């Protein structure tokens, strides 16, 4: 039997993932109900959800027609008549609030081994459910995405060759995207791949034009395609006894948590960091919800901030320059177990991205893993307040390293003298 | 009155160019006829055309139905019953052989100042007229491009917002293309921009699907859009008295020539170089037609090889690594008059590309300008034999520098002691 770390890396590197469906969540999972929603990050109490997540739950109750008004939805929440559980426990990942309800349109990815994952369609910039918006425009767009765009894409998927999602991410990295915070070229590649199939659907010409225009106008449209693939490969890499490789990072806006391959579904958490974001005009640090969302599954799977050298164009958006991008990727190599075999960086002569955070290495080096993320405004529906490269404190990684040690799985890195934390 | 060099740079930097039409050449110019075709590079005798250009002329005579067979076309050529003149003299640029006949489908670009340029649609890889292919597949594709795809795109252009072509190139550079030899991301961006307009055309669904699939499957489709824009800005920069800035580079497969802003339409030539290309499998250097085509108008306008640091992914295709890409862009800065204000390189913290080759500087430094080009097989229709970063000998630049000097326009750079050549 091979080394647990290598076994985990092999799964991260070798798991094929294809786009399966674009459909409502109720058709993708039995883990949601009209009064049971999924949310981003580790578990938290309904009463403790941050502003944007509460707003998204209100949007969800309106979308499900469980409430006729925001006030009714608030009352349902306050009476505790809706329940929530983590996306990750349902094989899902959601950006920002990550609220998934039965009628939420989602991208469904699948592996040959039978792992299925899903992630909500990206609604575009401006007011959006993932930022806690629940106004009429947001609701109307969600219904259109679920009733028009999703069935059209689903039919296009059926009428197209299977779309290899890690290959889409790999192509995105060749086109200057990190595929977490910059996906404009990946979105174009995705649209180009799906358009012939879209033309073969029964969709009428006007709706077709609207669908294409929506995707073309939303530079983050490819995000759920990328992160559902990332969730699929990290799920495939989970459950390797003794493996110190991180298989999930996620935050609910209060707590940031990680899961580790050799430690099952246990979360190791720390207060969600804010980092040092580039704020949108007019915003202050007080306006920012601490890191929230499941999209850092990107970094967990070897892209996003870990591929920063592939995406120098994003640096001005998140703060920094090309030299900082190189420094970030270089530092992440010091805490990763290996190198990606399919996410290659042209500007580093096609060297693979750093792949598979090793909790022992984080503990031993004290190097904080980073994510390339957006930050939601504290008030529901106000959208993005900033974006940045956010360092994650060492604590949860060190705690996981100790837990593996206690279980008799000491890492080589952890044996280093003077290990931190 | 401003400095001639600055005046030329201002035109290269500031000329707005938009996509105007996609139509047959006969509807774009009166400089072609059933027996008069345009060709790449400086003027040459019909009897002297290299193999692929002869093949393309055969294809042109078949396309125009002036010949019923290749043998008939050969006889027309051998009797001198067809004439040719440079694309550049008609405001056109053609990749490889660059043969443009009345029925050749072309991209038409235009400036607000009334400059109009055009370039043949890219036929895709494999046998193609630009490589001298004249078989039935090539002819059928050319007719389909002219009769179906071009009118569809033309209608899409009319039904779309004006497409800013230099902005398309600039976006391409942000997406890892150099826009001369790598255009896969630019092509996707172009298709995404045109698809909503395409959906508004009268084209039936099946033809629409074929048009989209053709563009999506041809990573060089954006090339004529990029180089017709380059021709438009370099034309706008032409004719500035005393300016030492190169406004055209082009090769007919025998001679490589340049034009200079302050020296009108005069060509300064040198034997077309072969360089040190990466050959396709099975090819030898003997199989290669020396540099041929007008597409190095890309470098003339500040992209292509001059933007190599934006496109590290192309380096393995043309030979070299990311360090060589940096070295190329760095060296081109030493022979250029300025820096592009719109072609920015993310990996150099959005520094502009080197812009405007100054013939005095080439002469003074002895640094050979380079182009990032494909090389045709000597035999018509065999396609590409190689690709590489080809250095252009200093001679024509030095000759132009001397001609300016003789006309009383000595450059600052030429005054440097120990000037080469």
């Amino acid at each position: 039997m091979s080394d647990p770390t290598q076994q985990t890396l092999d799964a991260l590197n070798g798991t094929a993932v294809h786009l399966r469906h674009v459909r409502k969540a109720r058709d993708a999972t039995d883990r949601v109900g009209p009064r049971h929603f999924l949310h981003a990050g580790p578990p938290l109490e309904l009463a403790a959800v941050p502003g944007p997540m509460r707003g998204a739950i209100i949007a969800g109750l309106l979308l499900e027609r469980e409430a006729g008004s925001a006030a009714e939805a608030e009352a349902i929440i306050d009476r505790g008549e809706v329940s929530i559980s983590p996306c990750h426990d349902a094989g899902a990942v959601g950006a920002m609030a990550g609220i998934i309800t039965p009628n939420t349109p989602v991208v469904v990815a699948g592996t040959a081994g039978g792992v299925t994952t899903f992630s909500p369609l990206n609604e575009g910039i401006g007011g959006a459910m993932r930022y806690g918006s629940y106004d009429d425009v947001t609701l109307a767009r969600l219904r259109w995405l679920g009733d028009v765009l999703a069935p059209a894409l689903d039919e296009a998927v059926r009428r197209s060759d299977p779309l290899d999602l890690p290959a889409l991410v790999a192509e995105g990295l060749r086109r200057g995207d990190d595929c977490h915070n910059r996906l404009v070229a990946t979105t174009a590649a995705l649209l180009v791949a799906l358009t012939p199939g879209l033309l073969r659907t029964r969709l009428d010409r006007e709706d077709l034009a609207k669908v294409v225009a929506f995707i073309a106008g939303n530079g983050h449209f490819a995000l759920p395609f990328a992160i559902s693939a990332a969730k699929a490969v990290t799920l495939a890499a989970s459950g390797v006894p003794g493996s110190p490789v991180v298989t999930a990072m996620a935050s609910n806006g209060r707590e940031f948590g990680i899961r580790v391959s050799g430690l099952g579904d246990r979360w190791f958490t720390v207060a969600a960091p804010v980092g040092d974001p580039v704020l949108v005009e007019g915003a202050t640090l007080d306006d920012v919800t601490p890191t929230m969302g499941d999209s850092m599954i990107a970094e967990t799977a070897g892209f996003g901030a870990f591929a920063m050298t592939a995406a120098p164009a994003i640096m001005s958006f998140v703060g920094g320059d090309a030299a900082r991008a190189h420094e970030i990727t270089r530092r992440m190599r010091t805490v990763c177990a290996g190198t990606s075999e399919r996410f290659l960086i042209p500007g580093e002569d096609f060297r693979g991205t750093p792949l598979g955070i090793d909790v022992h290495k984080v503990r031993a080096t004290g190097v904080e893993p980073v994510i390339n993320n957006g930050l939601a405004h504290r008030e529901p529906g106000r959208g993005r307040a900033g974006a940045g490269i956010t360092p994650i404190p060492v604590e949860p990684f060190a705690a996981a390293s100790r837990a593996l040690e206690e279980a008799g799985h000491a890492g080589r890195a952890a044996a280093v003298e003077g290990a931190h934390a």
Side-chain angles (χ1 to χ4, degrees), chain A:
Chain A
M1 193 156 146
S2 77
D3 168 64
T5 298
Q6 190 56 49
Q7 206 178 323
T8 322
L9 284 173
D10 289 348
L12 291 174
N13 266 320
T15 303
V17 190
H18 291 89
L19 175 59
R20 290 285 165 77
H21 291 289
V22 182
R23 50 169 52 165
K24 294 185 177 172
R26 66 178 184 223
D27 299 321
T29 181
D30 56 8
R31 305 292 281 273
V32 293
R35 295 282 181 113
H36 183 79
F37 303 163
L38 306 177
H39 69 83
L44 86 171
E45 295 297 319
L46 182 62
V49 300
M53 195 178 282
R54 183 178 169 95
I57 295 170
I58 294 170
L61 289 165
L62 292 167
L63 183 64
E64 299 306 320
R65 304 193 194 281
E66 292 291 315
S69 69
E72 275 182 46
E74 300 246 22
I76 291 170
I77 296 170
D78 291 340
R79 289 195 303 266
E81 291 173 2
V82 58
S83 60
I84 58 174
S85 62
C87 288
H88 272 288
D89 286 343
V93 279
M96 302 316 276
I99 295 297
I100 302 178
T101 75
N103 282 294
T104 303
V106 298
V107 171
V108 182
T111 72
V115 172
T116 295
T117 61
F118 55 101
S119 182
L121 280 178
N122 189 284
E123 308 156 71
I125 50 173
M129 181 174 170
R130 71 183 184 282
Y131 286 117
S133 181
Y134 49 80
D135 61 14
D136 291 346
V137 172
T138 302
L139 268 289
R141 187 173 48 216
L142 280 170
R143 293 193 199 285
W144 179 78
L145 288 171
D147 295 340
V148 179
L149 185 138
L153 284 188
D154 198 52
E155 194 181 342
V157 170
R158 282 200 304 280
R159 293 172 184 277
S160 304
D161 291 334
L163 187 70
D164 179 332
L165 291 174
L168 178 72
V169 171
E171 185 59 33
L173 301 192
R174 283 194 290 275
R175 299 186 187 185
D177 287 347
D178 75 319
C179 288
H180 183 176
N181 229 336
R182 180 178 164 95
L183 295 114
V184 65
T186 312
T187 295
L190 174 66
L191 180 53
V192 166
L194 291 176
T195 299
L198 273 172
L199 288 168
R200 287 182 213 111
T201 65
R202 290 153 298 185
L203 205 64
D204 75 41
R205 199 104 160 192
E206 195 176 326
D207 280 339
L208 200 49
K210 283 184 194 160
V211 165
V212 168
F214 180 85
I215 298 171
N218 175 3
H220 277 67
F221 191 80
L223 181 60
F225 297 78
I227 64 176
S228 58
K231 179 61 184 167
V233 301
T234 52
L235 262 181
S238 298
V240 179
S243 171
V245 174
V246 175
T247 48
M249 297 197 287
S251 182
N252 57 36
R254 306 284 184 201
E255 283 190 317
F256 187 103
I258 67 166
R259 281 176 167 171
V260 174
S261 181
L263 293 165
D265 287 344
R266 184 170 162 194
W267 289 100
F268 294 85
T269 62
V270 66
V274 173
D276 181 22
V278 177
L279 297 167
V280 300
E281 208 178 315
T284 70
L285 267 187
D286 285 343
D287 295 327
V288 170
T289 305
T291 298
M292 179 180 70
D294 294 328
S295 58
M296 46 287 255
I297 198 73
E299 283 79 7
T300 316
F303 55 97
F306 288 27
M308 282 314 285
T309 42
I314 187 72
M315 288 308 296
S316 56
F317 181 71
V318 293
D321 54 16
R324 187 175 176 218
H326 276 273
E327 177 60 15
I328 289 166
T329 298
R330 192 195 64 72
R331 281 174 71 85
M332 292 308 102
R333 294 194 189 283
T334 67
V335 295
C336 278
T339 301
S340 178
E341 290 167 11
R342 51 187 171 187
F343 302 140
L344 310 178
I345 302 176
E348 295 194 42
D349 293 325
F350 295 97
R351 185 176 181 189
T353 61
L355 179 67
I357 302 167
D358 180 328
V359 294
H360 297 317
K361 289 190 176 183
V362 176
R363 182 181 171 203
T365 61
V367 170
E368 296 176 322
V370 297
I371 59 172
N372 180 11
N373 66 316
L375 291 155
H377 199 286
R378 275 186 192 278
E379 291 169 30
R382 289 284 297 275
R384 197 170 59 78
I389 302 288
T390 309
I392 309 303
V394 167
E395 283 81 340
F397 303 92
S401 170
R402 285 191 299 270
L404 281 166
E405 240 176 35
E406 286 157 17
H409 299 293
R412 280 161 301 187
V416 169
E417 287 300 314
H420 295 239

